[in-house]
Amino acid sequence: GAVVSQHPSRVICKSGTSVKIECRSLDFQATTMFWYRQFPKQSLMLMATSNEGSKATYEQGVEKDKFLINHASLTLSTLTVTSAHPEDSSFYICSAKALAKNIQYFGAGTRLSVL
Amino acid sequence: DQQVKQNSPSLSVQEGRISILNCDYTNSMFDYFLWYKKYPAEGPTFLISISSIKDKNEDGRFTVFLNKSAKHLSLHIVPSQPGDSAVYFCAASAGQTGANNLFFGTGTRLTVIP
């Protein structure tokens, strides 16, 4: 149980394009989903927290117009990197948490490379 | 500002022996701690957690110890098995937010030698 699917696992795009990453909880309802970013040799850094049906809460320093998050249902959240630039190249990973369950379950991550 | 630190990037242990992975934190408001295990090309998998009201939590071969005065926690795996070879992350949260707002360490790569 508690499987989180993240798609795509890897994406290469040209500078200026937008990229959408999907995060799905397959066997539970995720009242809260989280988006993280990880640079090489650094820890996972929380970008934003989203609750189903409401606007995402972004961490300090994360541009909400750059990283659009939608959590339209209890099983799906999407992160769209708008007008991607090479500095946005990174590893993005999502997690999901069920109500009253004190564990985040993680997807496998997406490696974004912007040329 | 790294609030959760795993100072050992790697650890090698013989099969059957004990593995001890360490984690230090700086924020005295942290009150909930988790350990995750990560295999290549997979997401982190939850292993075990501990609340600050406890100093030990055990689940099978895995035991987490919390020393609040030292702001230190450790994960003990005994006996270690080759399948335990993975990267282990510790994470912490504050303000009774449970598994919300997690701060992660950089991970320790454990290699269990058969």
Side-chain angles (χ1 to χ4, degrees), chain A residues 32 34 36 38 41-46 49 59 91 93 97 101-109, chain B residues 2 4 32 34 36 38 41-46 49 89 97-106:
Chain A
T32 307
F34 306 85
Y36 293 83
Q38 185 179 27
K41 299 192 186 304
Q42 294 188 22
S43 58
L44 293 173
M45 297 296 292
L46 181 66
T49 302
E59 295 300 302
F91 185 71
I93 190 166
K97 179 176 170 296
K101 190 87 168 153
N102 229 358
I103 302 168
Q104 289 186 28
Y105 298 97
F106 283 84
Chain B
Q2 191 75 23
V4 177
Y32 187 63
L34 306 89
Y36 284 84
K38 185 182 182 305
E42 295 182 12
T45 303
F46 170 75
S49 63
F89 294 94
T97 58
N100 292 318
N101 300 323
L102 293 180
F103 292 83
F104 281 84
T106 51

Side-chain angles (χ1 to χ4, degrees), chain A residues 102, chain B residues 25 27-34 49-54 66 68 91-103:
Chain A
N102 229 358
Chain B
Y25 59 96
N27 188 342
S28 58
M29 299 302 291
F30 285 150
D31 55 13
Y32 187 63
F33 306 87
L34 306 89
S49 63
I50 188 168
S51 165
S52 61
I53 62 173
K54 294 185 175 182
L66 175 62
K68 290 184 287 294
S93 69
Q96 297 186 345
T97 58
N100 292 318
N101 300 323
L102 293 180
F103 292 83

